[in-house]
Amino acid sequence: MVKKDKQKTPEELSKDVTAFSNTDFDVIVLGGGPSGSSAATFLSMAKKNVLLLDRARFPRDKTCGDGISGKSVKILKELGVIDDIHKVEHLKMHGVTFSSPKGVVVEISAKKKDSNEPPGFVCAREVFDNVLFQNAKKHCNTIEGFFANDLIIENGQVVGVTGTYDGKPYSFRAKCVVGADGIGGITARKVGAINTYNDHLVSALRAYYDGVEGMSDKIELHFVNESLPGYFWIFPLPNKKANVGIGMIVSDMAKKKINLEKVMYEVIEKNNLFKPRFANAKKISDVKRWQLPVGSYRPKVYGNGYLLVGDAASLIDPFTGEGIGNGLVSGKIASSIILKAFEKNDFSEATLSEYQTALYDEVGNELDTSYKLQKLVKYKFLINMIIDKANRSQTIRDAISGALIDPENQKQFHNPWFYLKVLLA
Ligand SMILES: Cc1cc2nc3c(=O)[nH]c(=O)nc-3n(C[C@H](O)[C@H](O)[C@H](O)COP(=O)(O)OP(=O)(O)OC[C@H]3O[C@@H](n4cnc5c(N)ncnc54)[C@H](O)[C@@H]3O)c2cc1C
């Protein structure tokens, strides 16, 4: 029986690493977050010899709101991990609460008629990513604690990755490399596709709290004066714990000279909606900050011998800040394009370019719509008006509820007639 990593001695793990450096893999996936674990698992399920690399050792934390949407749930089922998620600590999410700058609160329930399955859930990333990574590990070779520092490029073709493990240099080779190493990784940077544009980057921070009052089974997005044009969130976790955070577009922050952490405390301590709810709450973690590369920027996500997925491909929803769903989806699409490249035994950019088209056919409209919504939120009167209307109109609440229950229903938001209906509601 193959020993699990945790049961292996450091010497045995080092031997594996040396053996892997002498292996020609089919695919190397760099980064074991949701996007990388998704790509590695789909490729391995199709019998490809995959090496999944990450600088962290799992379980590891990832700065996030921990909200997992219906889009993610669909792929989690295909990856065969949904039962594992049900076994770990998480909160079943059954709707969303919005509030407007003038303090109108709208609660939207989302319950499936024919099943008890929640439309989404909230699960700390330390737990969630570990489930995905351990599942990938059942299917493919992995190295944790490998710090990639460069791509191996020969005759213009990416053919591998170099880096360090246990302080020693190693290189690994494959026919194709999937860059799933996020915005802080090396792949997007090395191939010139990194999103460094302040108009297309959101800065966000989060902390865990214990004892926030008035939480339910709904995630909460609050468009408060203090954080416009971004939002303040409270995502409930089990046992009265909550993921609390705030995010804003980097260029807006710079213009308004915003100190995000200060603003978060102002909302918690002074805003009438939240002051009573946080009166007895305790912060139980550090405040952690990270950047979100949003999908209003579209880099070239393919090239000779490589594809980019998830945050490395700048796929985060510009309005909601949700990136796990598109990370998982891009992992799946990338794997299908790589499988086609194997059929042709051709990993050139001409063949891999199909990924750009397939990816944006799937997520492009949604990203465009979200970018428009993100711009609308810059106008306080509009966000006040929309939330007022949602408060009054069952049609709007049903539309949002439907979109939470089934991601397919989100397509109505890409249709201009829907907004006319909202205006007339
Ligand atoms: C504050 C905040 C709140 C958010 N809230 C939500 C939310 O509620 N819901 C949601 O869906 N999305 C949310 N997001 C976005 C979400 O966190 C990302 O979109 C998601 O993590 C992308 O997954 P990924 O696999 O592409 O990248 P990551 O999760 O970042 O994984 C990248 C992996 O690559 C590894 N890596 C990086 N560099 C190297 C290297 N040099 N060598 C080896 N390994 C490397 C890292 O260790 C990491 O494990 C939020 C983001 C932030 C910052």
Side-chain angles (χ1 to χ4, degrees):
M1 201 178 93
V2 180
K3 272 189 177 178
K4 289 190 179 149
D5 274 9
K6 283 235 164 91
Q7 299 164 326
K8 288 184 181 175
T9 64
E11 291 72 31
E12 285 173 315
L13 286 169
S14 275
K15 260 192 190 163
D16 283 355
V17 175
T18 306
F20 295 155
S21 68
N22 293 318
T23 305
D24 276 328
F25 284 94
D26 289 331
V27 184
I28 289 172
V29 179
L30 180 57
S35 322
S37 290
S38 154
T41 306
F42 280 119
L43 284 160
S44 306
M45 289 195 308
K47 306 269 178 278
K48 293 301 161 205
N49 189 13
V50 177
L51 178 62
L52 175 61
L53 302 167
D54 203 292
R55 66 182 170 200
R57 291 178 200 276
F58 287 76
R60 62 100 178 89
D61 187 22
K62 158 78 180 79
T63 306
C64 187
D66 303 334
I68 321 287
S69 68
K71 181 189 273 196
S72 301
V73 172
K74 196 164 168 260
I75 306 276
L76 295 174
K77 285 183 185 163
E78 293 178 44
L79 288 168
V81 289
I82 198 74
D83 290 340
D84 296 336
I85 299 283
H86 286 312
K87 285 180 203 148
V88 296
E89 188 172 85
H90 67 279
L91 182 126
K92 293 180 174 46
M93 187 276 288
H94 279 113
V96 59
T97 300
F98 292 107
S99 76
S100 67
K102 67 177 188 188
V104 172
V105 181
V106 184
E107 288 196 6
I108 297 170
S109 285
K111 293 218 162 96
K112 292 185 180 175
K113 281 201 184 100
D114 42 2
S115 89
N116 286 331
E117 197 181 71
F121 44 90
V122 187
C123 182
R125 289 290 296 277
E126 188 168 353
V127 176
F128 177 75
D129 286 20
N130 191 42
V131 170
L132 285 179
F133 188 82
Q134 298 309 331
N135 181 57
K137 215 168 173 174
K138 288 183 202 151
H139 295 274
C140 66
N141 296 301
T142 57
I143 306 177
E144 294 164 69
F146 172 76
F147 205 111
N149 55 25
D150 212 347
L151 298 173
I152 307 172
I153 302 176
E154 288 173 0
N155 304 318
Q157 182 88 9
V158 174
V159 293
V161 175
T162 62
T164 54
Y165 176 83
D166 218 4
K168 293 187 207 99
Y170 286 92
S171 56
F172 304 101
R173 298 178 70 90
K175 296 187 178 69
C176 190
V177 171
V178 177
D181 46 345
I183 192 169
I186 59 150
T187 324
R189 204 171 298 279
K190 297 281 173 187
V191 301
I194 190 85
N195 176 353
T196 52
Y197 306 97
N198 287 351
D199 286 342
H200 304 291
L201 285 169
V202 167
S203 184
L205 47 86
R206 73 102 223 260
Y208 289 106
Y209 275 79
D210 193 2
V212 179
E213 295 297 332
M215 292 192 299
S216 64
D217 58 356
K218 297 178 183 62
I219 56 169
E220 302 181 31
L221 309 183
H222 300 287
F223 297 94
V224 287
N225 270 322
E226 296 87 334
S227 68
L228 279 182
Y231 68 76
F232 169 70
W233 73 79
I234 303 173
F235 287 2
L237 283 158
N239 306 319
K240 284 198 109 181
K241 302 221 168 29
N243 180 316
V244 176
I246 194 161
M248 213 184 250
I249 300 159
V250 172
S251 55
D252 287 326
M253 273 175 61
K255 262 184 241 152
K256 297 185 171 182
K257 298 196 171 52
I258 296 277
N259 174 334
L260 217 47
E261 190 167 347
K262 211 170 135 215
V263 170
M264 184 170 88
Y265 292 132
E266 257 171 45
V267 175
I268 288 173
E269 288 160 17
K270 296 190 185 144
N271 186 297
N272 287 338
L273 275 185
F274 306 105
K275 194 175 160 191
R277 293 184 60 191
F278 280 85
N280 299 312
K282 265 204 193 93
K283 186 158 73 62
I284 52 168
S285 76
D286 291 339
V287 174
K288 281 198 180 172
R289 183 190 194 118
W290 196 240
Q291 285 199 325
L292 294 85
V294 296
S296 46
Y297 169 69
R298 288 192 188 185
K300 181 175 165 226
V301 291
Y302 66 94
N304 287 318
Y306 73 86
L307 296 178
L308 302 175
V309 294
D311 282 12
S314 200
L315 289 176
I316 297 181
D317 187 295
F319 179 59
T320 63
E322 183 195 341
I324 299 168
N326 282 348
L328 294 168
V329 167
S330 61
K332 181 181 171 189
I333 298 174
S335 69
S336 70
I337 301 297
I338 291 172
L339 293 177
K340 282 192 191 174
F342 270 98
E343 279 167 22
K344 294 207 251 171
N345 195 25
D346 176 1
F347 304 92
S348 66
E349 79 166 9
T351 295
L352 296 177
S353 65
E354 208 188 312
Y355 173 57
Q356 185 99 15
T357 317
L359 177 66
Y360 289 106
D361 277 356
E362 182 64 30
V363 302
N365 276 341
E366 183 187 318
L367 291 175
D368 287 347
T369 306
S370 284
Y371 187 35
K372 286 180 192 142
L373 287 172
Q374 183 213 75
K375 286 184 170 162
L376 280 187
V377 176
K378 294 194 181 194
Y379 301 97
K380 203 197 292 186
F381 77 94
L382 271 177
I383 186 79
N384 273 327
M385 184 191 81
I386 292 168
I387 292 181
D388 272 354
K389 281 186 182 286
N391 195 27
R392 286 199 304 267
S393 159
Q394 189 63 43
T395 315
I396 297 175
R397 293 201 297 277
D398 286 349
I400 298 171
S401 173
L404 286 172
I405 289 170
D406 183 352
E408 273 301 299
N409 292 332
Q410 284 173 12
K411 292 196 171 132
Q412 67 189 311
F413 296 119
H414 311 153
N415 182 344
W417 289 107
F418 173 77
Y419 295 94
L420 190 64
K421 269 203 307 198
V422 169
L423 283 174
L424 298 175

